[in-house]
Amino acid sequence: MHDVQVSVASAQGVGAANEDTVFASSTGVVVLDGLSAPQDLPMGCIHGTPWFVRQLGAHLINLIGDSTVPLREALRSAISKVNDLHRGSCTLDQEAVPASTVVMIRERGDVLEYLVLSDNVLVLDLGKEGIRTIADKRVEEVANKEMRAALQGPTGTTEHAARVSALVTVQRRLRNRPGGYWVAATDPAAADEATTGSVSLAQVRQAALLTDGASRLVDSFGKLSWEELLDLLRTEGPAALLDRTREVEVTDPVGERWPRFKQSDDATAAYVRVNLPASLHPNRQPLA
């Protein structure tokens, strides 16, 4: 076994609520990024996205505590369990339901297992083997015309909001469909589309689990390399990464230099440092 220390931070963007969530336990970490639903579009769930990601994350962190349960099966079961919580009050057999990206890791014996579904990013520092990043970018490969339009600024205007709504309308039709992209929503079969794998725990020096709002200093703004992002997390912590992200965002408030859907997205980072013989101990409470 190895000592794996976990620190986390989460910050709300420009929306009405933080639709990200992060949970950490003695053996695993789960980070979720709820998909924003424009207010002018229908929603079949009365509870909303923040409720959905909290419920899904809570079930996931409990399920992956059983090392005999494969990560895909844990996600499949968690989706089904959340469905059971609100199928009597909400219309779940339609496109307009809450959905979330997923990235999670689990210490299991001498290996670190991972699962990634949609565009959260897992960054692994594997020492001599270098940095490995795992993400599922299929959402960027669909609705190209609508996505280009939604990325045209200035953000925060009525016209821009209408273009984002048009994009989400098309994306909902392509969500969890062959040839589209996959997220955790109401269909447990989405778990089969997740990217999974494992690495020897002895190889892993550090890792980061990031929502796209927390990875943008690297993959959107080009301000840091993945190595520099890990260094920042190691020396200053996840909150410093989110603060740095906000500092850069305010220099481009309307998305002229770095086109994006909103000035500031919800941002969540979990940083994992591998050290001494022991078990995995989070040094902060899970955020919901």
Side-chain angles (χ1 to χ4, degrees), residues 155-156 248-256 260 262-263:
T155 61
V248 174
E249 288 168 341
V250 298
T251 68
D252 181 38
V254 298
E256 181 178 8
R260 53 199 190 273
K262 44 190 158 182
Q263 176 184 325

Side-chain angles (χ1 to χ4, degrees), residues 25-154:
S25 73
S26 62
T27 56
V29 183
V30 174
V31 172
L32 305 178
D33 179 359
L35 277 61
S36 297
Q39 293 184 350
D40 61 323
L41 296 184
M43 172 58 71
C45 172
I46 63 174
H47 300 94
T49 301
W51 175 89
F52 175 77
V53 295
R54 289 194 300 268
Q55 297 299 324
L56 185 65
H59 282 294
L60 281 171
I61 201 65
N62 287 329
L63 287 162
I64 68 174
D66 182 348
S67 62
T68 67
V69 178
L71 295 184
R72 278 201 183 104
E73 185 56 37
L75 180 55
R76 177 187 295 274
S77 179
I79 293 171
S80 295
K81 288 178 181 295
V82 177
N83 286 346
D84 291 342
L85 291 177
H86 64 142
R87 68 172 69 256
S89 58
C90 303
T91 306
L92 305 184
D93 58 347
Q94 61 172 340
E95 299 166 353
V97 292
S100 178
T101 67
V102 182
V103 57
M104 56 184 174
I105 59 173
R106 176 174 63 185
E107 178 186 356
R108 184 171 180 264
D110 293 329
V111 302
L112 187 74
E113 300 178 323
Y114 61 81
L115 178 148
V116 179
L117 182 65
S118 200
D119 59 352
N120 285 356
V121 182
L122 174 62
V123 188
L124 297 173
D125 179 356
L126 301 179
K128 292 181 180 179
E129 292 192 12
I131 304 297
R132 181 186 303 177
T133 60
I134 300 108
D136 173 4
K137 296 295 188 179
R138 280 176 287 185
V139 66
E140 298 179 0
E141 299 170 1
V142 301
N144 291 327
K145 176 183 176 182
E146 291 80 7
M147 186 168 292
R148 287 194 300 271
L151 286 172
Q152 295 176 7

